[in-house]
Amino acid sequence: MDNINVLVDTLKEKFSSKISVSDDGQSLVVSSADIFPVLKEIKENTQYNFLADLTAVDYPERMEVVYHLMNIKDAGLIRVKALLDKSDPKIDSVVFLWDTANVMERETYDLLGVIFEGHPDLKRILCPDDFEGHPLRKDYKVEPAVRQ
Amino acid sequence: MAISNQESGFRTQEFVLNMGPQHPSTHGVYRAILTMDGEYVVDVENVVGYLHRGMEKIAEDRTYTQFIPYTDRMDYLAGILNNWGFVMTVEKAMGIEVPERAEYIRVITGELQRIASHLVMVASMALDLNGYTPWMYAFYDREKILDLFEMICGSRLTTSFMRVGGVPNDIPEGFIPKLEKFLAELPGRADDFDNVITGNEIFVGRTKGVGVLDAEAALSFGLTGPNLRASGVNFDLRKAQPYSVYDRFDFEVPLGENGDSFDRYNLRMLEIRQSARIIRQALDTIPEGDIMAKVPKVLKVPKGETYCHIEGSKGLLGFYLVSDGGTKPYRLHLHSPSFVNLGAYPKMAKGTVLQDAIASLASIDIVLGEVDR
């Protein structure tokens, strides 16, 4: 992980209080409403313009969508997080910034139930279409297979 | 590459062609729904998930050591590289220093695995284009690599070779002479491939200028590994941010020019030679010493998040580990290169004829175990 403090200083000018640094100093935290403009700014005006990974994590009190952005020159990585309300996990899609977000957002929707607004074709990708629930949520319990 | 039927003003009705999930050219259980206008592909929809085993969910219920065998069921053609990515993530999260000899053994086996994986790609691509001979050639050489794996870890395909902190077995007796013999033969064998495939007029005619992806599109689609380098982007994690002991070896990063199917194929051939170069240097300079670091019996990863990736044979293979301080991961996300690379397939195939779409698919080199996880 690269040091994000330099990046935060430049972003502060434009987004002021909308962004912050996480407690461990490793990630940039953005509220879910501001994710698109912040990522657009990072993509267009910094070196971190490659979307290396997109996923989400289900914590007891909130849902976090996690973006890993990479600098293609020296493989430096930064982590950007968006905090979501668990009762209504919605966030803007970033397909317009990176085509690769298309499959990654579908996967995150499928497995964790995060709704990406503005995604051109948000549907399940790994689980079957008639699957019920989102398996990577912590409240989804796996039952042992019935043996006959 | 416009739709010729529409250009000539001759209207035809579009129809839907279903390819897969059981089809020889899909390299596994993958299904493509093709919208066709005569011979031309108008639209492609990828349908994946037939091999989805829920590995990320399984990981939450396994200890770190228990999960190692699952990783080589992801990309089953490059098991050792998958093991390596996972144990490196845990080592990074726990701050474990791996002994040098273990790192060298990892590099030797990892690069052998890369050669084996690329050989399958080269062979299956030629097979998709109706060449059966290269398949037999490539599998003859791959067999020798698998024999070497059997010597060092007792298994050929699902190796589970790496451990957190090092490797379980030192190089066995008789391994090095066999490897030396393989390395001595490989350049000649690679030249044979070039004669059979690379210089083959039919092969070149069917792959040059097919499925072109320029550098900008390749980056936007998140391609990594040989597929990205075929579009002329010089990015190899082993050079950009050398992990393990890759900074000690002298090797080149081959680049493509046009980003077409031929470049993606040819890059694999060039990388096979570079991997052989790395193995040669590693064999000459491998130090004596331990092969395992001092690691506690029960692995507990400190609370926090780690993202770690390696240059796999298909691209960047990433692991995002969230730990709550316990013996099992709180969340483990597997970023598989094949899954992302496949996302670029509709872009490559649109507007080409059906048999060119097959060539494009073969050139991406997907492994469905890794796509679906």
Side-chain angles (χ1 to χ4, degrees):
Chain A
M1 277 309 135
D2 282 12
N3 191 350
I4 56 168
N5 289 321
V6 187
L7 185 74
V8 170
D9 289 341
T10 51
L11 289 172
K12 277 266 187 215
E13 289 169 20
K14 205 164 178 185
F15 297 100
S16 61
S17 62
K18 286 175 180 169
I19 54 169
S20 58
V21 180
S22 65
D23 294 338
D24 60 356
Q26 297 279 314
S27 18
L28 185 72
V29 181
V30 185
S31 76
S32 62
D34 304 312
I35 193 72
F36 190 84
V38 171
L39 287 180
K40 189 163 187 264
E41 175 72 20
I42 295 176
K43 186 198 170 192
E44 285 168 2
N45 295 326
T46 72
Q47 293 284 319
Y48 301 97
N49 53 11
F50 184 86
L51 182 63
D53 187 37
L54 190 167
T55 187
V57 185
D58 180 18
Y59 289 104
E61 67 281 11
R62 63 181 185 279
M63 187 83 89
E64 280 182 6
V65 178
V66 186
Y67 303 82
H68 284 93
L69 303 177
M70 190 167 68
N71 174 350
I72 208 85
K73 299 271 182 318
D74 63 0
L77 273 172
I78 56 162
R79 184 183 300 139
V80 181
K81 281 181 175 182
L83 309 184
L84 270 66
D85 186 4
K86 266 187 103 163
S87 59
D88 184 29
K90 277 188 185 152
I91 191 165
D92 285 335
S93 167
V94 292
V95 176
F96 303 106
L97 299 177
W98 295 280
D99 289 311
T100 176
N102 190 323
V103 285
M104 295 192 204
E105 285 181 352
R106 272 180 71 186
E107 184 196 347
T108 310
Y109 161 73
D110 186 2
L111 301 179
L112 284 133
V114 178
I115 311 280
F116 291 91
E117 290 180 318
H119 188 286
D121 187 20
L122 193 66
K123 59 182 183 188
R124 289 187 182 274
I125 186 164
L126 293 178
C127 297
D129 289 339
D130 56 354
F131 192 86
E132 281 175 22
H134 300 285
L136 283 183
R137 287 202 180 177
K138 289 288 172 184
D139 55 11
Y140 186 94
K141 291 283 174 255
V142 181
E143 286 168 16
V146 183
R147 307 224 182 263
Q148 292 175 346
Chain B
M1 276 182 286
I3 311 298
S4 64
N5 287 345
Q6 290 173 351
E7 257 180 4
S8 60
F10 179 69
R11 277 181 60 88
T12 50
Q13 194 177 12
E14 287 180 359
F15 65 98
V16 174
L17 181 69
N18 188 51
M19 188 169 85
Q22 304 292 344
H23 189 276
S25 75
T26 58
H27 298 203
V29 273
Y30 152 77
R31 175 178 166 215
I33 303 172
L34 306 158
T35 308
M36 306 288 297
D37 182 12
E39 278 280 291
Y40 287 84
V41 178
V42 180
D43 198 12
V44 184
E45 191 189 340
N46 289 329
V47 182
V48 297
Y50 294 96
L51 275 181
H52 181 53
R53 291 148 289 177
M55 282 196 184
E56 296 178 8
K57 188 74 176 176
I58 292 172
E60 291 171 10
D61 205 31
R62 297 283 185 280
T63 65
Y64 292 96
T65 316
Q66 279 175 339
F67 191 67
I68 294 172
Y70 285 92
T71 55
D72 47 37
R73 271 83 175 167
M74 283 167 61
D75 179 356
Y76 40 78
L77 296 178
I80 285 187
L81 292 167
N82 288 264
N83 297 156
W84 194 356
F86 176 67
V87 296
M88 221 170 91
T89 311
V90 181
E91 282 156 7
K92 193 176 164 192
M94 295 179 71
I96 294 173
E97 194 80 29
V98 180
E100 268 200 10
R101 186 173 174 83
E103 292 281 25
Y104 273 78
I105 296 174
R106 284 180 179 187
V107 167
I108 293 170
T109 49
E111 292 303 321
L112 276 174
Q113 185 75 85
R114 194 185 309 278
I115 296 176
S117 170
H118 283 354
L119 282 172
V120 175
M121 183 274 173
V122 168
S124 57
M125 183 163 176
L127 189 66
D128 282 351
L129 303 178
N130 288 346
Y132 196 74
T133 315
W135 176 274
M136 304 308 283
Y137 272 55
F139 271 64
Y140 176 83
D141 287 317
R142 180 170 174 267
E143 198 66 19
K144 303 214 155 149
I145 297 176
L146 298 187
D147 285 346
L148 287 166
F149 286 162
E150 197 175 357
M151 286 178 87
I152 200 165
C153 62
S155 179
R156 295 158 62 83
L157 204 65
T158 48
T159 47
S160 304
F161 180 53
M162 310 272 171
R163 297 288 183 277
V164 176
V167 289
N169 307 327
D170 208 333
I171 295 175
E173 210 180 313
F175 181 87
I176 289 183
K178 220 171 162 184
L179 179 54
E180 296 271 7
K181 186 161 172 280
F182 173 77
L183 286 180
E185 284 172 1
L186 189 68
R189 297 288 297 178
D191 290 343
D192 283 350
F193 287 128
D194 277 346
N195 289 334
V196 176
I197 322 174
T198 320
N200 185 312
E201 205 176 322
I202 300 170
F203 184 84
V204 172
R206 286 197 55 187
T207 52
K208 277 245 177 197
V210 168
V212 179
L213 218 54
D214 59 25
E216 199 187 330
L219 285 170
S220 180
F221 274 105
L223 296 193
T224 44
N227 292 331
L228 178 65
R229 294 193 283 273
S231 296
V233 182
N234 189 349
F235 178 77
D236 186 324
L237 198 64
R238 294 173 294 171
K239 282 276 189 205
Q241 207 176 71
Y243 53 93
S244 189
V245 287
Y246 275 113
D247 51 347
R248 301 182 194 175
F249 305 122
D250 177 35
F251 65 100
E252 284 156 27
V253 180
L255 291 179
E257 285 170 6
N258 310 317
D260 56 11
S261 297
F262 180 80
D263 276 3
R264 284 191 283 274
Y265 152 79
N266 196 30
L267 214 74
R268 263 86 174 188
M269 285 308 302
L270 299 171
E271 285 196 356
I272 286 174
R273 294 180 167 92
Q274 295 301 325
S275 290
R277 242 176 103 182
I278 296 173
I279 299 171
R280 180 73 266 161
Q281 294 169 50
L283 269 183
D284 292 342
T285 53
I286 184 167
E288 292 293 327
D290 290 337
I291 52 165
M292 270 297 275
K294 290 261 176 295
V295 178
K297 276 263 178 332
V298 179
L299 294 176
K300 273 191 180 162
V301 173
K303 193 170 189 270
E305 296 157 51
T306 317
Y307 188 86
C308 180
H309 49 197
I310 65 160
E311 182 74 33
S313 61
K314 319 281 188 292
L316 286 184
L317 174 69
F319 293 82
Y320 175 53
L321 173 66
V322 181
S323 173
D324 56 1
T327 54
K328 297 170 183 172
Y330 181 78
R331 166 103 168 88
L332 180 70
H333 175 65
L334 313 168
H335 176 88
S336 74
S338 293
F339 181 68
V340 174
N341 291 348
L342 191 58
Y345 176 55
K347 166 99 175 159
M348 291 179 193
K350 268 179 208 174
T352 61
V353 290
L354 182 58
Q355 63 263 39
D356 286 353
I358 301 285
S360 303
L361 182 63
S363 73
I364 305 175
D365 189 19
I366 50 166
V367 167
L368 270 301
E370 191 184 51
V371 172
D372 297 340
R373 286 157 286 158

